[in-house]
Amino acid sequence: LVTTASRPSSRRCTCSRPPLPSHAPAPGRRFLARRPSFRHFPACHHILSITAAACCTDSCSLPTLLQVKYDLYGVRSCVINALAYLAQGKENPNWNSGSDSKMLIPQTKNIGLPLMNLMRFKGLPILQQLHIEEQLLRTSSENWCIVNDGTNDPTIVMGVSGKPAELLEIESVLDDQVPVIRRFTGGGTVIVDHGTVFVTFICNKEAVPNLQPYPRPIMSWSSSLYSKVFQGIGDFHLRENDYVFGNHKFGGNAQSITKNRWIHHTSFLWDFNVQNMSYLKHPKRAPAYRSARSHLDFICRMKDYMPRSTFMDKTVEATETQFSLRPIQLEAIRTCSEAEFCPSSRFLTNEELEAAAVALQS
Amino acid sequence: MASSMLWASRAASYLRISVFHRGFSTVLKDLKYADSHEWVKVEGNSATIGITDHAQDHLGDVVYVELPEVGAAVKQGESFGAVESVKATSDVNSPVSGKVVEVNEELSGSPAKVNSSPYDNGWIIKVEMKDAGELKNLMDSEEYSKFCEEEDSKH
């Protein structure tokens, strides 16, 4: 704890000693509006003033009971701030924020939670999102949450082992020049656009207590987080690795697991264009609960259950129950250069798609 | 047995309960093991590498194996390829350093061999070792069994 040289405070005293800044609440309020910074708050001063005053025979130095209570609040605040500083490596900014007393509570709850950086985008191209994710997975040692509210152009995104001939109506894709990406994570094929909301978690393997870094435990953890988001809404649950309302899929998941870290990302169908689904074939590897239903009978729109901004806000809130979130701008992270990390997610070329179509016909 | 386990897995999925793992994993003597759940069989200067029964059980059905090129360099503890299972790609790390001299091409058409025969037909690469002294950094079968028990009991 940082303390300043302490001089006994004078409370309702007529002696010549000058009063020190009081951390008494504003008139008409019972508690401090803002938690004082521990660097500017002489905690020991208050401890000493209570002790010294107790020994003083001068009646003007005796603290009132109310002042003792405020001193104790001050000491408590100082200790909490110091712990938060040690846990997060930074000062609680609330001292200068002018915020009201409600800000005291969230900071108290975040103590001891692992730190997670939060990046929010709107309309970031999906390939750029995938590049950022792969770079953070492979080169960062911190935890990350990325929320991308829609992507720009309709794009098909296949998993790492996806075969275009099996998964896509290649002729239509080529005729309409729909971009096709092979991403670095596993899983199936999606077509994404401005109606898709993406949420990604990138974590060190120790970030979530008692979580084994394997596909099913990570999937189970993620579904428990989203259960908080969709509590009481639409019979939400995880069904064979998909997020569903009832038996209709609205969220697809994929993961990549390295030696010490993992990524779990989800594309949520807040809305979709019916016509776009015609570019995708019925996959060979489909979950049993799909029961051979067509795309349109199998999937549903999240917009029928929850407003878009509500979903993103509730997801951040649910994440805050397990992590201390720190907003980060894209410019703050290093950009990829040839000498550093090169991501593997990429567009498939027209030649590759044409070759796949020819191989299918032969 | 396989069909009843498949039925149990599907029933668990329908009832939305997590499928329990076997309480034990097969561990072979005479192999060495890395803490990232790969095994290595050393014969002279040659090392055969795969993932353990514990790993394949926790990963689930393997649907794709990403193999390195023959001639590629591998380093102890670093990724040389990946397996895809469920919705995840999982790195496979080399227990030894050296040069890849052979890859199991059969895994391209039959990736499930990693599940059905992790220590035999499911081998992934063969490596010409650079430094046999690195083997001391690996666990023997007893140490690895204990490591797996401790890991599973923590979660």
mmCIF file of all heavy atoms in Angstrom, chain B residues 36-73:
data_model
loop_
_atom_site.group_PDB
_atom_site.id
_atom_site.type_symbol
_atom_site.label_atom_id
_atom_site.label_comp_id
_atom_site.label_asym_id
_atom_site.label_seq_id
_atom_site.Cartn_x
_atom_site.Cartn_y
_atom_site.Cartn_z
ATOM 1 N N SER B 36 2.233 -33.892 -23.958
ATOM 2 C CA SER B 36 1.151 -33.476 -24.863
ATOM 3 C C SER B 36 0.497 -34.701 -25.512
ATOM 4 O O SER B 36 -0.196 -34.571 -26.506
ATOM 5 C CB SER B 36 1.686 -32.505 -25.924
ATOM 6 O OG SER B 36 2.877 -33.002 -26.512
ATOM 7 N N HIS B 37 0.751 -35.889 -24.925
ATOM 8 C CA HIS B 37 0.039 -37.115 -25.298
ATOM 9 C C HIS B 37 0.414 -37.665 -26.669
ATOM 10 O O HIS B 37 -0.441 -38.184 -27.403
ATOM 11 C CB HIS B 37 -1.491 -36.928 -25.173
ATOM 12 C CG HIS B 37 -1.918 -36.535 -23.800
ATOM 13 N ND1 HIS B 37 -1.963 -37.431 -22.741
ATOM 14 C CD2 HIS B 37 -2.302 -35.329 -23.296
ATOM 15 C CE1 HIS B 37 -2.353 -36.792 -21.660
ATOM 16 N NE2 HIS B 37 -2.563 -35.527 -21.952
ATOM 17 N N GLU B 38 1.696 -37.565 -27.015
ATOM 18 C CA GLU B 38 2.206 -38.309 -28.176
ATOM 19 C C GLU B 38 3.138 -39.408 -27.663
ATOM 20 O O GLU B 38 3.743 -39.291 -26.607
ATOM 21 C CB GLU B 38 2.990 -37.389 -29.134
ATOM 22 C CG GLU B 38 2.123 -36.349 -29.862
ATOM 23 C CD GLU B 38 1.949 -35.069 -29.068
ATOM 24 O OE1 GLU B 38 2.657 -34.896 -28.048
ATOM 25 O OE2 GLU B 38 1.111 -34.233 -29.447
ATOM 26 N N TRP B 39 3.256 -40.479 -28.416
ATOM 27 C CA TRP B 39 4.169 -41.575 -28.067
ATOM 28 C C TRP B 39 5.247 -41.655 -29.122
ATOM 29 O O TRP B 39 5.063 -41.220 -30.267
ATOM 30 C CB TRP B 39 3.432 -42.917 -27.962
ATOM 31 C CG TRP B 39 2.697 -43.339 -29.223
ATOM 32 C CD1 TRP B 39 1.384 -43.128 -29.494
ATOM 33 C CD2 TRP B 39 3.241 -44.040 -30.357
ATOM 34 N NE1 TRP B 39 1.066 -43.648 -30.736
ATOM 35 C CE2 TRP B 39 2.179 -44.219 -31.280
ATOM 36 C CE3 TRP B 39 4.495 -44.545 -30.687
ATOM 37 C CZ2 TRP B 39 2.335 -44.871 -32.503
ATOM 38 C CZ3 TRP B 39 4.665 -45.191 -31.909
ATOM 39 C CH2 TRP B 39 3.586 -45.343 -32.804
ATOM 40 N N VAL B 40 6.396 -42.251 -28.710
ATOM 41 C CA VAL B 40 7.475 -42.468 -29.670
ATOM 42 C C VAL B 40 8.073 -43.847 -29.419
ATOM 43 O O VAL B 40 8.306 -44.251 -28.284
ATOM 44 C CB VAL B 40 8.545 -41.351 -29.605
ATOM 45 C CG1 VAL B 40 9.184 -41.243 -28.228
ATOM 46 C CG2 VAL B 40 9.627 -41.562 -30.646
ATOM 47 N N LYS B 41 8.300 -44.573 -30.510
ATOM 48 C CA LYS B 41 8.942 -45.898 -30.441
ATOM 49 C C LYS B 41 10.299 -45.755 -31.109
ATOM 50 O O LYS B 41 10.392 -45.394 -32.288
ATOM 51 C CB LYS B 41 8.087 -46.922 -31.203
ATOM 52 C CG LYS B 41 8.624 -48.336 -31.170
ATOM 53 C CD LYS B 41 7.640 -49.246 -31.898
ATOM 54 C CE LYS B 41 8.160 -50.670 -31.934
ATOM 55 N NZ LYS B 41 7.238 -51.560 -32.636
ATOM 56 N N VAL B 42 11.329 -46.018 -30.322
ATOM 57 C CA VAL B 42 12.689 -45.796 -30.820
ATOM 58 C C VAL B 42 13.306 -47.125 -31.235
ATOM 59 O O VAL B 42 13.324 -48.084 -30.456
ATOM 60 C CB VAL B 42 13.536 -45.116 -29.718
ATOM 61 C CG1 VAL B 42 14.972 -44.929 -30.190
ATOM 62 C CG2 VAL B 42 12.924 -43.782 -29.330
ATOM 63 N N GLU B 43 13.830 -47.150 -32.451
ATOM 64 C CA GLU B 43 14.571 -48.347 -32.939
ATOM 65 C C GLU B 43 15.843 -47.826 -33.592
ATOM 66 O O GLU B 43 15.807 -47.345 -34.731
ATOM 67 C CB GLU B 43 13.714 -49.116 -33.960
ATOM 68 C CG GLU B 43 12.516 -49.787 -33.332
ATOM 69 C CD GLU B 43 11.452 -50.225 -34.344
ATOM 70 O OE1 GLU B 43 11.061 -49.409 -35.212
ATOM 71 O OE2 GLU B 43 10.997 -51.373 -34.260
ATOM 72 N N GLY B 44 16.933 -47.897 -32.831
ATOM 73 C CA GLY B 44 18.188 -47.326 -33.332
ATOM 74 C C GLY B 44 18.042 -45.817 -33.387
ATOM 75 O O GLY B 44 17.729 -45.170 -32.392
ATOM 76 N N ASN B 45 18.278 -45.290 -34.615
ATOM 77 C CA ASN B 45 18.178 -43.855 -34.797
ATOM 78 C C ASN B 45 16.805 -43.430 -35.324
ATOM 79 O O ASN B 45 16.559 -42.253 -35.580
ATOM 80 C CB ASN B 45 19.255 -43.414 -35.803
ATOM 81 C CG ASN B 45 19.651 -41.972 -35.580
ATOM 82 O OD1 ASN B 45 19.632 -41.496 -34.448
ATOM 83 N ND2 ASN B 45 19.976 -41.271 -36.640
ATOM 84 N N SER B 46 15.920 -44.417 -35.483
ATOM 85 C CA SER B 46 14.620 -44.139 -36.085
ATOM 86 C C SER B 46 13.549 -44.056 -35.004
ATOM 87 O O SER B 46 13.565 -44.842 -34.047
ATOM 88 C CB SER B 46 14.282 -45.252 -37.083
ATOM 89 O OG SER B 46 12.962 -45.107 -37.529
ATOM 90 N N ALA B 47 12.652 -43.091 -35.143
ATOM 91 C CA ALA B 47 11.572 -42.921 -34.168
ATOM 92 C C ALA B 47 10.237 -42.932 -34.905
ATOM 93 O O ALA B 47 10.058 -42.194 -35.878
ATOM 94 C CB ALA B 47 11.760 -41.603 -33.425
ATOM 95 N N THR B 48 9.304 -43.749 -34.431
ATOM 96 C CA THR B 48 7.933 -43.767 -34.961
ATOM 97 C C THR B 48 7.054 -43.037 -33.961
ATOM 98 O O THR B 48 7.174 -43.262 -32.751
ATOM 99 C CB THR B 48 7.436 -45.211 -35.152
ATOM 100 O OG1 THR B 48 8.362 -45.927 -35.956
ATOM 101 C CG2 THR B 48 6.070 -45.217 -35.823
ATOM 102 N N ILE B 49 6.187 -42.166 -34.466
ATOM 103 C CA ILE B 49 5.443 -41.239 -33.598
ATOM 104 C C ILE B 49 3.946 -41.324 -33.888
ATOM 105 O O ILE B 49 3.532 -41.432 -35.047
ATOM 106 C CB ILE B 49 5.944 -39.796 -33.829
ATOM 107 C CG1 ILE B 49 7.380 -39.660 -33.314
ATOM 108 C CG2 ILE B 49 5.040 -38.765 -33.172
ATOM 109 C CD1 ILE B 49 8.107 -38.444 -33.826
ATOM 110 N N GLY B 50 3.157 -41.247 -32.821
ATOM 111 C CA GLY B 50 1.700 -41.188 -32.972
ATOM 112 C C GLY B 50 1.098 -40.529 -31.744
ATOM 113 O O GLY B 50 1.820 -40.047 -30.867
ATOM 114 N N ILE B 51 -0.244 -40.520 -31.676
ATOM 115 C CA ILE B 51 -0.889 -39.998 -30.465
ATOM 116 C C ILE B 51 -1.370 -41.178 -29.624
ATOM 117 O O ILE B 51 -1.634 -42.260 -30.138
ATOM 118 C CB ILE B 51 -2.043 -39.018 -30.760
ATOM 119 C CG1 ILE B 51 -3.227 -39.703 -31.460
ATOM 120 C CG2 ILE B 51 -1.537 -37.836 -31.567
ATOM 121 C CD1 ILE B 51 -4.466 -38.825 -31.538
ATOM 122 N N THR B 52 -1.484 -40.947 -28.332
ATOM 123 C CA THR B 52 -1.784 -42.045 -27.410
ATOM 124 C C THR B 52 -3.268 -42.387 -27.401
ATOM 125 O O THR B 52 -4.105 -41.650 -27.924
ATOM 126 C CB THR B 52 -1.359 -41.677 -25.987
ATOM 127 O OG1 THR B 52 -2.176 -40.581 -25.554
ATOM 128 C CG2 THR B 52 0.112 -41.286 -25.917
ATOM 129 N N ASP B 53 -3.563 -43.495 -26.748
ATOM 130 C CA ASP B 53 -4.958 -43.923 -26.597
ATOM 131 C C ASP B 53 -5.737 -42.881 -25.777
ATOM 132 O O ASP B 53 -6.899 -42.591 -26.075
ATOM 133 C CB ASP B 53 -4.977 -45.288 -25.901
ATOM 134 C CG ASP B 53 -6.372 -45.880 -25.826
ATOM 135 O OD1 ASP B 53 -7.125 -45.763 -26.815
ATOM 136 O OD2 ASP B 53 -6.711 -46.452 -24.772
ATOM 137 N N HIS B 54 -5.097 -42.304 -24.768
ATOM 138 C CA HIS B 54 -5.719 -41.251 -23.952
ATOM 139 C C HIS B 54 -6.128 -40.078 -24.840
ATOM 140 O O HIS B 54 -7.239 -39.553 -24.757
ATOM 141 C CB HIS B 54 -4.722 -40.802 -22.879
ATOM 142 C CG HIS B 54 -5.226 -39.711 -21.990
ATOM 143 N ND1 HIS B 54 -5.166 -38.369 -22.329
ATOM 144 C CD2 HIS B 54 -5.796 -39.745 -20.756
ATOM 145 C CE1 HIS B 54 -5.680 -37.649 -21.352
ATOM 146 N NE2 HIS B 54 -6.066 -38.454 -20.380
ATOM 147 N N ALA B 55 -5.225 -39.687 -25.742
ATOM 148 C CA ALA B 55 -5.498 -38.537 -26.609
ATOM 149 C C ALA B 55 -6.650 -38.839 -27.561
ATOM 150 O O ALA B 55 -7.578 -38.047 -27.703
ATOM 151 C CB ALA B 55 -4.243 -38.160 -27.391
ATOM 152 N N GLN B 56 -6.609 -40.002 -28.209
ATOM 153 C CA GLN B 56 -7.648 -40.287 -29.209
ATOM 154 C C GLN B 56 -9.009 -40.428 -28.523
ATOM 155 O O GLN B 56 -10.036 -40.045 -29.087
ATOM 156 C CB GLN B 56 -7.291 -41.532 -30.046
ATOM 157 C CG GLN B 56 -7.337 -42.855 -29.361
ATOM 158 C CD GLN B 56 -8.754 -43.417 -29.235
ATOM 159 O OE1 GLN B 56 -9.679 -43.011 -29.928
ATOM 160 N NE2 GLN B 56 -8.921 -44.346 -28.299
ATOM 161 N N ASP B 57 -9.017 -40.930 -27.299
ATOM 162 C CA ASP B 57 -10.280 -41.073 -26.581
ATOM 163 C C ASP B 57 -10.871 -39.700 -26.254
ATOM 164 O O ASP B 57 -12.090 -39.499 -26.348
ATOM 165 C CB ASP B 57 -10.037 -41.870 -25.298
ATOM 166 C CG ASP B 57 -11.320 -42.126 -24.529
ATOM 167 O OD1 ASP B 57 -12.305 -42.564 -25.145
ATOM 168 O OD2 ASP B 57 -11.342 -41.884 -23.308
ATOM 169 N N HIS B 58 -10.023 -38.757 -25.867
ATOM 170 C CA HIS B 58 -10.514 -37.429 -25.513
ATOM 171 C C HIS B 58 -10.830 -36.579 -26.745
ATOM 172 O O HIS B 58 -11.667 -35.680 -26.669
ATOM 173 C CB HIS B 58 -9.479 -36.701 -24.639
ATOM 174 C CG HIS B 58 -9.487 -37.136 -23.216
ATOM 175 N ND1 HIS B 58 -9.079 -38.379 -22.818
ATOM 176 C CD2 HIS B 58 -9.877 -36.491 -22.083
ATOM 177 C CE1 HIS B 58 -9.206 -38.492 -21.507
ATOM 178 N NE2 HIS B 58 -9.697 -37.363 -21.030
ATOM 179 N N LEU B 59 -10.163 -36.852 -27.840
ATOM 180 C CA LEU B 59 -10.409 -36.044 -29.041
ATOM 181 C C LEU B 59 -11.715 -36.419 -29.731
ATOM 182 O O LEU B 59 -12.373 -35.595 -30.321
ATOM 183 C CB LEU B 59 -9.252 -36.207 -30.028
ATOM 184 C CG LEU B 59 -7.948 -35.499 -29.652
ATOM 185 C CD1 LEU B 59 -6.847 -35.864 -30.637
ATOM 186 C CD2 LEU B 59 -8.137 -33.994 -29.618
ATOM 187 N N GLY B 60 -12.056 -37.712 -29.694
ATOM 188 C CA GLY B 60 -13.231 -38.160 -30.436
ATOM 189 C C GLY B 60 -12.830 -38.690 -31.806
ATOM 190 O O GLY B 60 -11.650 -38.857 -32.111
ATOM 191 N N ASP B 61 -13.840 -38.959 -32.634
ATOM 192 C CA ASP B 61 -13.584 -39.573 -33.948
ATOM 193 C C ASP B 61 -12.718 -38.661 -34.814
ATOM 194 O O ASP B 61 -13.108 -37.534 -35.118
ATOM 195 C CB ASP B 61 -14.903 -39.835 -34.677
ATOM 196 C CG ASP B 61 -15.731 -40.891 -33.993
ATOM 197 O OD1 ASP B 61 -15.155 -41.672 -33.199
ATOM 198 O OD2 ASP B 61 -16.947 -40.942 -34.232
ATOM 199 N N VAL B 62 -11.581 -39.177 -35.226
ATOM 200 C CA VAL B 62 -10.683 -38.402 -36.085
ATOM 201 C C VAL B 62 -11.181 -38.500 -37.524
ATOM 202 O O VAL B 62 -11.394 -39.610 -38.040
ATOM 203 C CB VAL B 62 -9.235 -38.930 -35.973
ATOM 204 C CG1 VAL B 62 -8.318 -38.229 -36.972
ATOM 205 C CG2 VAL B 62 -8.714 -38.709 -34.548
ATOM 206 N N VAL B 63 -11.366 -37.374 -38.177
ATOM 207 C CA VAL B 63 -11.895 -37.360 -39.545
ATOM 208 C C VAL B 63 -10.868 -36.898 -40.563
ATOM 209 O O VAL B 63 -11.068 -36.996 -41.768
ATOM 210 C CB VAL B 63 -13.162 -36.486 -39.635
ATOM 211 C CG1 VAL B 63 -14.253 -37.048 -38.731
ATOM 212 C CG2 VAL B 63 -12.867 -35.038 -39.275
ATOM 213 N N TYR B 64 -9.747 -36.370 -40.097
ATOM 214 C CA TYR B 64 -8.746 -35.854 -41.022
ATOM 215 C C TYR B 64 -7.428 -35.757 -40.278
ATOM 216 O O TYR B 64 -7.394 -35.397 -39.086
ATOM 217 C CB TYR B 64 -9.178 -34.474 -41.518
ATOM 218 C CG TYR B 64 -8.160 -33.758 -42.375
ATOM 219 C CD1 TYR B 64 -7.892 -34.180 -43.676
ATOM 220 C CD2 TYR B 64 -7.479 -32.650 -41.893
ATOM 221 C CE1 TYR B 64 -6.964 -33.522 -44.465
ATOM 222 C CE2 TYR B 64 -6.554 -31.980 -42.680
ATOM 223 C CZ TYR B 64 -6.298 -32.422 -43.959
ATOM 224 O OH TYR B 64 -5.383 -31.764 -44.744
ATOM 225 N N VAL B 65 -6.323 -36.103 -40.983
ATOM 226 C CA VAL B 65 -4.991 -35.966 -40.396
ATOM 227 C C VAL B 65 -4.159 -35.098 -41.340
ATOM 228 O O VAL B 65 -4.042 -35.406 -42.536
ATOM 229 C CB VAL B 65 -4.309 -37.337 -40.197
ATOM 230 C CG1 VAL B 65 -2.921 -37.149 -39.576
ATOM 231 C CG2 VAL B 65 -5.156 -38.240 -39.316
ATOM 232 N N GLU B 66 -3.623 -34.021 -40.806
ATOM 233 C CA GLU B 66 -2.750 -33.143 -41.599
ATOM 234 C C GLU B 66 -1.322 -33.632 -41.404
ATOM 235 O O GLU B 66 -0.782 -33.589 -40.288
ATOM 236 C CB GLU B 66 -2.902 -31.715 -41.085
ATOM 237 C CG GLU B 66 -2.176 -30.666 -41.899
ATOM 238 C CD GLU B 66 -2.345 -29.284 -41.267
ATOM 239 O OE1 GLU B 66 -3.475 -28.785 -41.206
ATOM 240 O OE2 GLU B 66 -1.335 -28.737 -40.795
ATOM 241 N N LEU B 67 -0.727 -34.122 -42.482
ATOM 242 C CA LEU B 67 0.602 -34.734 -42.397
ATOM 243 C C LEU B 67 1.661 -33.763 -42.895
ATOM 244 O O LEU B 67 1.410 -32.980 -43.823
ATOM 245 C CB LEU B 67 0.637 -36.013 -43.258
ATOM 246 C CG LEU B 67 -0.305 -37.138 -42.814
ATOM 247 C CD1 LEU B 67 -0.452 -38.180 -43.920
ATOM 248 C CD2 LEU B 67 0.224 -37.792 -41.543
ATOM 249 N N PRO B 68 2.874 -33.847 -42.333
ATOM 250 C CA PRO B 68 3.949 -32.989 -42.846
ATOM 251 C C PRO B 68 4.522 -33.574 -44.141
ATOM 252 O O PRO B 68 4.197 -34.707 -44.512
ATOM 253 C CB PRO B 68 4.979 -33.041 -41.710
ATOM 254 C CG PRO B 68 4.774 -34.382 -41.083
ATOM 255 C CD PRO B 68 3.310 -34.702 -41.219
ATOM 256 N N GLU B 69 5.375 -32.812 -44.789
ATOM 257 C CA GLU B 69 6.066 -33.313 -45.981
ATOM 258 C C GLU B 69 7.238 -34.180 -45.543
ATOM 259 O O GLU B 69 7.881 -33.902 -44.516
ATOM 260 C CB GLU B 69 6.627 -32.146 -46.794
ATOM 261 C CG GLU B 69 5.569 -31.187 -47.334
ATOM 262 C CD GLU B 69 4.798 -31.801 -48.480
ATOM 263 O OE1 GLU B 69 5.342 -32.684 -49.169
ATOM 264 O OE2 GLU B 69 3.636 -31.422 -48.667
ATOM 265 N N VAL B 70 7.552 -35.203 -46.319
ATOM 266 C CA VAL B 70 8.774 -35.979 -46.064
ATOM 267 C C VAL B 70 9.959 -35.038 -46.268
ATOM 268 O O VAL B 70 9.998 -34.272 -47.228
ATOM 269 C CB VAL B 70 8.847 -37.189 -47.015
ATOM 270 C CG1 VAL B 70 10.203 -37.876 -46.908
ATOM 271 C CG2 VAL B 70 7.726 -38.177 -46.701
ATOM 272 N N GLY B 71 10.892 -35.102 -45.329
ATOM 273 C CA GLY B 71 12.054 -34.215 -45.407
ATOM 274 C C GLY B 71 11.933 -33.002 -44.500
ATOM 275 O O GLY B 71 12.919 -32.297 -44.267
ATOM 276 N N ALA B 72 10.721 -32.762 -43.984
ATOM 277 C CA ALA B 72 10.536 -31.610 -43.100
ATOM 278 C C ALA B 72 11.281 -31.838 -41.784
ATOM 279 O O ALA B 72 11.412 -32.980 -41.319
ATOM 280 C CB ALA B 72 9.046 -31.393 -42.834
ATOM 281 N N ALA B 73 11.726 -30.739 -41.184
ATOM 282 C CA ALA B 73 12.383 -30.824 -39.876
ATOM 283 C C ALA B 73 11.327 -30.759 -38.788
ATOM 284 O O ALA B 73 10.336 -30.041 -38.915
ATOM 285 C CB ALA B 73 13.364 -29.677 -39.709
#
